[in-house]
Amino acid sequence: MAAAAARGAMRAVRVFEFGGPEVLRVQADVPIPAPKGTQVLIKVHACGVNPVETYIRSGNHARKPALPYTPGSDVAGVIESVGEHVTAFKKGDRVFTSATLSGGYADYAVAEANTVFPLSDKLNFSQGAAVAIPYFTAYRALFQKGHAKAGESVLIHGASGGVGIAACQIARAYGLKVLGTAGTEEGMNIVLRNGAHQAFNHREANYLDKIKEYTKMQGVNIIIEMLSNVNLAADLHLLSQAGRVMVVGCRGSIEINPRETMNKESSITGVSLFLQTEEERRECAKAVLEGIEAGWLNPVVGPEYPLQEVARAHEDIIHSSGARGKMVLLP
């Protein structure tokens, strides 16, 4: 790799056509991008894998990048070089980013400096790659869109994945009553270790009744929903009066009865990090960096894959038996 870098080339995953995981190709001769103006070049040590990247790759997402492209957005690594207008970072700084411009499934990635943040020595690079998208999404869902307040209850559906764990840690730190669901015993234990007061197995036939019982039939104030195409109709029954469902993840359509929202004046709100304003991103970053400093923000890294096994990572993130932390690629 050193020889390749010396001649200005790197390894990167390239997608030439939309389709299944097999369209992900690792190429060894991709030119290393050069940072311009307000950009930085990051030597990638770890890159987060997110479900949304599989939807984009398949061509079934509203956002369709121009082909060919390199997937991946939240990387952690070391600054290699900076554009002429960058003063906040220098070569050698440990950083993480919420959005690369050139794609994160690669040895190097370019990002705008305003999407890059210092990576504390408290976290390793794999943890750094598990910060931006999961924690920014969880914070946005809870506070920027969900208007969560201390003392309210939150149910995190699919709480053992990257966003779920982030939501558990943030909600607990901000004084909410935290309930989480997972699909395995191991997943439930992860949820409990990361801030949930109570965990439920969403594979059990009567788990919804258990949640209702636990809330003494009052319902929950907020639901953070990772799989709305499966759970949304049931979620509406779990809400308290004026409760709200925050749709973070969806893999298809579902039929619901809108009357259920009238009965409690509840609401369903979609959450998209892509629509975050600069001001909102700064607010998320401030909360996240403070959480790392305080010690309660501690990303759980799940399965790690070398770059050449990217197709298997895309297969596993959709078809695994149950999430357990944030999936990461290691170039």
Side-chain angles (χ1 to χ4, degrees), residues 12-289:
V13 174
R14 303 293 280 160
V15 175
F16 290 90
E17 60 182 324
F18 297 113
E22 70 282 355
V23 303
L24 298 161
R25 295 196 213 154
V26 181
Q27 297 198 310
D29 56 354
V30 178
I32 295 174
K36 302 178 178 67
T38 54
Q39 300 169 355
V40 299
L41 179 67
I42 300 167
K43 167 82 184 77
V44 179
H45 284 256
C47 179
V49 180
N50 300 287
V52 70
E53 287 143 24
T54 71
Y55 314 148
I56 294 170
R57 181 216 69 227
S58 69
N60 294 332
H61 195 267
R63 293 172 74 249
K64 280 200 181 66
L67 297 166
Y69 77 97
T70 295
S73 53
D74 44 349
V75 308
V78 174
I79 297 280
E80 180 69 22
S81 59
V82 302
E84 61 271 24
H85 302 310
V86 175
T87 52
F89 299 103
K90 62 185 185 313
K91 183 176 166 67
D93 287 350
R94 282 165 48 96
V95 294
F96 69 94
T97 176
S98 59
T100 66
L101 297 169
S102 56
Y105 296 8
D107 288 329
Y108 294 88
V110 160
E112 280 291 342
N114 65 352
T115 68
V116 177
F117 309 96
L119 178 62
S120 164
D121 289 339
K122 293 181 179 185
L123 304 183
N124 61 35
F125 288 116
S126 289
Q127 287 179 303
V131 174
I133 286 187
Y135 285 86
F136 285 26
T137 300
Y139 184 89
R140 183 169 181 75
L142 284 164
F143 301 110
Q144 293 179 339
K145 295 293 167 189
H147 309 296
K149 295 178 188 64
E152 286 192 314
S153 58
V154 58
L155 170 66
I156 298 155
H157 243 320
S160 62
V163 178
I165 289 167
C168 285
Q169 291 179 358
I170 294 173
R172 182 67 180 250
Y174 281 75
L176 280 91
K177 179 81 168 173
V178 186
L179 321 182
T181 76
T184 63
E185 198 62 44
E186 186 192 3
M188 287 167 69
N189 288 331
I190 287 174
V191 170
L192 289 169
R193 283 201 304 272
N194 284 283
H197 293 87
Q198 189 70 29
F200 302 88
N201 187 334
H202 56 62
R203 292 187 200 278
E204 282 180 13
N206 64 338
Y207 87 98
L208 294 170
D209 297 328
K210 288 186 175 177
I211 294 172
K212 285 178 185 164
E213 215 172 287
Y214 185 80
T215 65
K216 300 185 171 57
M217 307 310 271
Q218 297 295 304
V220 290
N221 301 115
I222 304 171
I223 296 176
I224 307 290
E225 183 52 77
M226 313 299 168
L227 199 59
S228 47
N229 54 299
V230 172
N231 300 320
L232 189 57
D235 287 344
L236 296 177
H237 292 277
L238 290 175
L239 288 175
S240 64
Q241 195 176 332
R244 47 256 192 231
V245 181
M246 313 312 298
V247 176
V248 170
C250 184
R251 297 181 186 173
S253 56
I254 185 172
E255 190 171 304
I256 63 165
N257 181 351
R259 184 170 291 285
E260 302 292 350
T261 64
M262 296 161 65
N263 295 342
K264 297 172 179 171
E265 290 197 326
S266 55
S267 60
I268 302 164
T269 303
V271 179
S272 171
L273 212 49
F274 297 123
L275 299 176
Q276 202 171 35
T277 64
E278 178 59 33
E279 191 183 357
E280 287 171 331
R281 183 167 54 225
R282 276 202 298 270
E283 182 194 339
C284 279
K286 182 173 183 290
V288 162
L289 294 172

